Amino acid sequence: MTRMSLKKILLHPDPRLKKACEPVADINADLRKLADDMLETMYDAPGVGLAAPQVGKVMRLFVMDFSGKEADPDPRVLFNPRLTWVSETMNTYEEGCLSIPDIYEDVTRPEQVRMVYQNIDGKEIEEEFEGLGATCAQHELDHLDGKLFIDYLSAIKRGMITKKMKKLKKELARDT
Ligand code: GNR
Ligand code: NI
């Protein structure tokens, strides 16, 4: 057993955040270690979700915990997730992303979704999510298809955010 370690979170714009990720073939010890490291990185950030491409892995895997800080932790690991149903009713949530820090914008998505995925033991699970869980699950699934929440905004807004992020990345590169 090895210890967990924090991963570096990629910042937008980055070509690795725009790629469609590959399905995971078999859930071995390396992948379980990656999932553990992603959970630790997510809690450290802190965030409610983290997708593999955000840590430079082109794999269909994300982690999330939308239990809230008052509740007991409820870490989830989802391999090869796919939507099997979305509600007709929609919900608007102010979204953020660890790859686009300090930027929050309203995004409208289905209010409830069902997802089929394999859990950390490789077992196939079907689960329904609503509220923050549904928003987060869809936000993370988008990451696996190379999509960011700013892709739902107007081209003008997205352009402004990308410009801001490029400036931030330059400043961060100067500091190191
Ligand atoms: O931490 C996060 N918070 C959040 C808030 C509203 C909608 C989606 C999210 S996901 C985000 C973490 C992240 O970037 N996951 O990819
Ligand atoms: Ni994100």
Side-chain angles (χ1 to χ4, degrees), residues 28-146:
N28 55 27
D30 284 353
L31 281 175
R32 287 194 293 272
K33 165 83 163 80
L34 173 62
D36 274 352
D37 288 348
M38 285 172 58
L39 279 168
E40 192 193 24
T41 304
M42 177 190 80
Y43 286 124
D44 178 76
V48 295
L50 187 68
Q54 292 181 278
V55 295
K57 305 288 182 189
V58 194
M59 295 174 182
R60 301 194 74 82
L61 150 67
F62 69 75
V63 299
M64 59 180 179
D65 185 341
F66 48 85
S67 59
K69 59 178 188 284
E70 302 300 315
D72 289 335
D74 186 18
R76 287 152 191 279
V77 177
L78 293 82
F79 290 98
N80 301 321
R82 59 189 166 89
L83 290 170
T84 53
W85 173 80
V86 302
S87 64
E88 279 177 37
T89 54
M90 306 293 279
N91 188 25
T92 300
Y93 214 99
E94 192 174 63
E95 296 197 18
C97 182
L98 294 173
S99 296
I100 316 173
D102 300 324
I103 302 219
Y104 302 90
E105 296 286 346
D106 279 355
V107 177
T108 300
R109 303 179 186 270
E111 183 177 32
Q112 291 131 0
V113 299
R114 268 203 288 276
M115 250 180 212
V116 169
Y117 61 91
Q118 289 156 276
N119 71 4
I120 193 94
D121 304 313
K123 189 176 170 228
E124 187 158 289
I125 311 271
E126 180 161 33
E127 193 169 5
E128 192 164 315
F129 299 105
E130 59 174 19
L132 177 60
T135 291
C136 185
Q138 293 173 85
H139 173 116
E140 302 312 333
L141 185 63
D142 275 349
H143 273 299
L144 307 188
D145 293 318

Side-chain angles (χ1 to χ4, degrees), residues 8-20:
K8 199 177 90 190
I9 298 175
L10 300 181
L11 296 178
H12 168 75
D14 189 306
R16 290 167 288 181
L17 293 172
K18 302 200 76 174
K19 288 187 182 166

